[in-house]
Amino acid sequence: MTLTDPNTASLNGLWDFAFLGAIAPDNFDAASITDWSKQPVPAAFDALPDHAGKRGLACYRRTVDIPSGRTAKLSFGAISIWSQVYIDGVLMHENACGYAPIEINIPAADSSRRELLVLVDNRFDFERVPMHEEYFDFYQYGGILRDVGVRIYPADGQAVDFIHVTPLDDYAQGEVHIRVGLVGDIPSPAELSVSFDGAEATPVQVEIDGQEASFTTRVPQPRLWSPQSPELHTLRIDLAGHELAAGCQARFGLRKIEARDGKLWLNGQQLTLKGYNRHEWHPNSGPTTPTLQMVADLQYLRDLGCNFVRGSHYPQDQRFLDLCDEMGFLVWEENLGWGQRERTLTSPTFHQQHDKSLRAMMHASHNHPCVIIWGFLNEAGSNEAYSRPIFEQTVATIRQFDSSRLVSFASMFALKDLNFDLVDLIAINIYPGWYGCEYCEEPLSLIAPHMEKCFAHVSSPKLKDKPIIVSEIGAEALYGWREAHNDFYTEEYQAQYLKTACEEALGHERCSGIALWHFSDARTYGGGLSMKRPRTFNNKGTLDEYRRPKAAYRSVREVFRRYPDTPAS
């Protein structure tokens, strides 16, 4: 459900809730629950005082009014970590990626009052949820984390279900490919009524293949989307002769992202990415940040001189992508992943769930012009041969689903990676002057030579035509800690570190951008693992968790604003 979906009614609000604790999912019995309380949706139940930090099984319940005999579709932005969804006691869906968007078709029934029950488990279990592991360097919460909505289909069950708009080569003149999803028994050929930007509709005849149709057309009075001018168009498609409830609307932008000649290009202009990695997190709400906080974050990023956000390390909230569309930010969106190695990357269950989540992410975010890069498997074991099959399959899946965007993954093996040949954009996570420099007297002096070595490595004949960005680099600082030694964890050290990193990356001819780690401090790990991080936080934020700027804010702002988004090509 997005800001531009007029057909979907919100189911957000207070739901019945019961925390069941150590009960195994197989032993769940809804009828045995007597101690119901109330829980806001969306929210992480373990971010709120009653169940803060607790892991176990939980159950949500509410009723939904759907006219008798009508079908409908439920949409969940995300349910974490593992979940099952029941309608009237019947299991309709099981999901094992806590950030993946979910859509569920609800069959017709005689009764108009339907019971919706969601079973949630936020415990780690490799056999059941191998996409989530406890060692990830960000805290993983439980609950219905994002918006919930329902769309009720017309009485005959026929409707336009979704619209995907893809700009084509002649995008500047409005040429687009339209893919339309349909529900119900619609005879082929079918007549669609197509309207751009509220103009008078025109009829289009389409052949139906399965439950889909596609055609190519032109947007009247096309306007290009870019960070400097984030122009958006709307498309409405109705079924000819059907009620308005059978139609569907999408918002999109006309733009073209390319990787060629070792550079990035947006709408034919050379592009430099300047930005941050950003977790969807705030200490008051965990991973369910209010829209107001999202806007504030983007305003800080704009003030810093950023044009780019890497959504680390999972599918993004559609509200955030809507805002990036409107405010002109470029986005890297990636499937859930963090540091997986052989056990995970060779697991058939992981392969299946990774593919399911990947496809759900691309389906949900397809129309966002802000999304220019599809990413996957952050810092996985891409320096080992066991990684090759899933990397090849993932890249093939992305290209088959959407060839209009760039494909990449963030590698921590800049000099030893075995999979750079597969992607459009090489992205490296490096931390010279922070990790592995315990006995170096001048750790800041390590940044420039390490970057130079990485850039030289990917300038080999095999890789020289691929652009490269620094997708992570950073140093921790504790807000307010300043002292004469300017040592690790001081604001002074972080400020000089990020200034040096930005200048070295943006000043290098081979580099097309940088995404600093991290926008704001964020909670990480849990239990004994948190001993690895002061305050149980990853403190590499340029702002602290309450968005108070550290000394590095001014340093980054000065450098980012000095380098143009579109350098002379």
Side-chain angles (χ1 to χ4, degrees):
M1 185 172 77
T2 73
L3 296 174
T4 59
D5 184 357
N7 293 317
T8 301
S10 175
L11 295 181
N12 295 349
L14 284 177
W15 290 39
D16 294 335
F17 178 80
F19 183 71
L20 308 176
I23 294 175
D26 292 343
N27 296 329
F28 167 71
D29 178 15
S32 67
I33 302 175
T34 57
D35 187 19
W36 292 98
S37 61
K38 292 294 182 180
Q39 181 79 8
V41 171
F45 68 77
D46 49 351
L48 295 171
D50 281 355
H51 305 96
K54 294 182 180 179
R55 295 202 177 270
L57 200 65
C59 186
Y60 292 79
R61 183 184 68 179
R62 67 159 292 161
T63 58
V64 182
D65 289 325
I66 300 172
S68 174
R70 301 277 281 272
T71 58
K73 180 175 71 176
L74 272 175
S75 59
F76 294 86
I79 312 174
S80 184
I81 291 177
W82 172 91
S83 61
Q84 288 181 333
V85 178
Y86 294 81
I87 302 293
D88 300 329
V90 178
L91 176 62
M92 303 299 296
H93 187 86
E94 181 173 321
N95 194 61
C97 177
Y99 296 92
I102 300 168
E103 293 184 344
I104 303 168
N105 291 322
I106 304 177
D110 293 335
S111 173
S112 62
R113 178 61 57 93
R114 315 291 295 274
E115 183 184 68
L116 169 58
L117 188 145
V118 181
L119 190 64
V120 178
D121 195 336
N122 67 342
R123 290 171 290 190
F124 299 101
D125 180 346
F126 183 79
E127 298 304 318
R128 189 153 45 95
V129 282
M131 290 191 73
H132 293 262
E133 297 202 53
E134 194 167 4
Y135 65 79
F136 287 8
D137 193 13
F138 55 95
Y139 195 88
Q140 298 164 79
Y141 291 81
I144 302 176
L145 302 185
R146 296 177 181 167
D147 291 335
V148 186
V150 62
R151 180 185 178 185
I152 299 172
Y153 291 123
D156 63 5
Q158 299 180 9
V160 178
D161 188 41
F162 69 84
I163 302 169
H164 285 171
V165 184
T166 305
L168 298 178
D169 287 342
D170 200 12
Y171 66 97
Q173 301 303 315
E175 185 182 32
V176 291
H177 180 264
I178 311 296
R179 178 175 167 231
V180 183
L182 303 165
V183 295
D185 186 16
I186 302 173
S188 183
E191 182 175 307
L192 305 178
S193 178
V194 178
S195 173
F196 288 98
D197 301 324
E200 184 176 351
T202 59
V204 175
Q205 294 285 331
V206 294
E207 297 291 334
I208 299 176
D209 182 7
Q211 290 296 111
E212 293 187 6
S214 63
F215 60 96
T216 297
T217 187
R218 289 187 182 270
V219 180
Q221 300 179 335
R223 306 178 303 276
L224 295 187
W225 185 96
S226 69
Q228 297 76 25
S229 182
E231 297 282 353
L232 295 165
H233 291 277
T234 59
L235 168 62
R236 180 173 179 87
I237 297 182
D238 293 287
L239 290 173
H242 286 65
E243 59 184 280
L244 290 178
C248 189
Q249 183 172 301
R251 190 173 70 174
F252 65 97
L254 296 170
R255 58 101 185 94
K256 184 175 184 179
I257 184 68
E258 299 173 273
R260 54 179 169 83
D261 304 323
K263 304 292 182 184
L264 291 172
W265 306 82
L266 181 69
N267 299 340
Q269 288 188 302
Q270 190 178 323
L271 173 67
T272 297
L273 299 176
K274 301 174 299 178
Y276 277 85
N277 292 265
R278 177 183 176 274
H279 273 303
E280 195 65 71
W281 190 82
H282 189 278
N284 291 341
S285 53
T288 309
T289 55
T291 303
L292 180 64
Q293 186 62 62
M294 294 179 179
V295 173
D297 288 357
L298 290 170
Q299 288 182 355
Y300 277 121
L301 288 165
R302 179 68 77 216
D303 181 63
L304 282 159
C306 299
N307 62 4
F308 177 57
V309 180
R310 179 177 172 221
S312 50
H313 297 291
Y314 34 75
Q316 295 295 286
D317 192 313
Q318 292 294 306
R319 292 176 302 140
F320 183 71
L321 296 180
D322 279 327
L323 292 170
C324 289
D325 286 343
E326 295 173 0
M327 297 175 69
F329 283 90
L330 301 163
V331 176
W332 162 319
E333 186 176 18
E334 65 189 23
N335 201 19
L336 175 63
W338 197 91
Q340 288 92 340
R341 295 296 186 264
E342 185 170 11
R343 178 183 76 153
T344 308
L345 298 185
T346 58
S347 160
T349 303
F350 177 82
H351 278 237
Q352 180 186 27
Q353 293 175 357
H354 168 77
D355 182 76
K356 179 181 177 182
S357 173
L358 180 72
R359 293 174 185 274
M361 175 187 75
M362 294 189 293
H363 173 76
S365 299
H366 183 88
N367 292 326
H368 291 289
C370 67
V371 178
I372 59 168
I373 302 165
W374 295 128
F376 61 95
L377 293 177
N378 173 71
E379 294 188 351
S382 52
N383 63 325
E384 298 287 350
Y386 61 73
S387 70
R388 189 71 178 188
I390 193 168
F391 274 66
E392 287 182 333
Q393 182 57 54
T394 302
V395 171
T397 297
I398 294 172
R399 295 200 196 286
Q400 181 182 34
F401 192 96
D402 177 20
S403 61
S404 71
R405 291 176 168 91
L406 306 183
V407 182
S408 191
F409 62 90
S411 172
M412 64 183 294
F413 304 106
L415 303 177
K416 298 180 179 180
D417 202 288
L418 302 179
N419 297 300
F420 283 155
D421 62 298
L422 297 174
V423 298
D424 302 307
L425 169 68
I426 295 172
I428 57 174
N429 294 355
I430 55 175
Y431 290 90
W434 186 255
Y435 297 122
C437 58
E438 289 82 355
Y439 302 105
C440 178
E441 291 186 6
E442 297 182 13
L444 292 174
S445 69
L446 301 175
I447 296 174
H450 187 72
M451 276 195 187
E452 182 62 43
K453 190 175 182 180
C454 293
F455 295 154
H457 176 71
V458 298
S459 297
S460 64
K462 186 178 180 181
L463 301 174
K464 65 181 178 65
D465 289 334
K466 296 179 184 289
I468 180 172
I469 66 169
V470 177
S471 44
E472 287 184 25
I473 191 169
E476 295 196 48
L478 301 177
Y479 180 82
W481 187 32
R482 303 182 180 188
E483 50 90 38
H485 288 269
N486 293 348
D487 209 339
F488 277 27
Y489 292 100
T490 64
E491 290 196 28
E492 291 89 349
Y493 185 83
Q494 185 194 48
Q496 186 58 49
Y497 185 104
L498 295 186
K499 180 177 186 293
T500 302
C502 291
E503 288 179 334
E504 292 297 332
L506 297 176
H508 199 288
E509 192 275 337
R510 186 67 178 90
C511 186
S512 291
I514 186 169
L516 298 175
W517 187 270
H518 180 262
F519 170 67
S520 61
D521 294 346
R523 180 174 294 281
T524 181
Y525 305 127
L529 286 171
S530 63
M531 294 295 290
K532 298 178 180 180
R533 297 289 190 193
R535 307 188 306 133
T536 73
F537 278 60
N538 188 318
N539 299 284
K540 293 188 182 72
T542 298
L543 299 87
D544 80 346
E545 64 270 26
Y546 292 105
R547 278 47 170 191
R548 296 178 297 182
K550 302 176 188 177
Y553 187 100
R554 183 175 295 177
S555 300
V556 173
R557 185 178 187 272
E558 187 276 321
V559 179
F560 274 3
R561 285 176 168 266
R562 197 191 324 150
Y563 287 89
D565 294 3
T566 54
S569 55

